[in-house]
Amino acid sequence: MPEIENYVKTITTLLNSGYLFVKFQDDLNSLITKNIPFVIFRHDVDFSIRGAVQIATIENQLGIRAT
């Protein structure tokens, strides 16, 4: 699926560019102070539990966290 391929490509590009994937409860002020780029990934799953599992599997394989 092109959507999934683009999703993986986007995450990989961010990781290769030095972005950290963090959660809202992480020490964001420290990251900002240290000028560390970060992403807070948040998913609202309303339509497809199957799609949510697919996204979660991809994120797990890539070693990132989402909220």
Side-chain angles (χ1 to χ4, degrees), residues 13-32:
T13 299
L14 289 167
L15 287 169
N16 291 338
S17 297
Y19 282 79
L20 298 179
F21 285 76
V22 299
K23 293 188 176 189
F24 287 107
Q25 64 267 28
D26 289 340
D27 186 3
L28 303 180
N29 286 327
S30 176
L31 295 172
I32 292 167

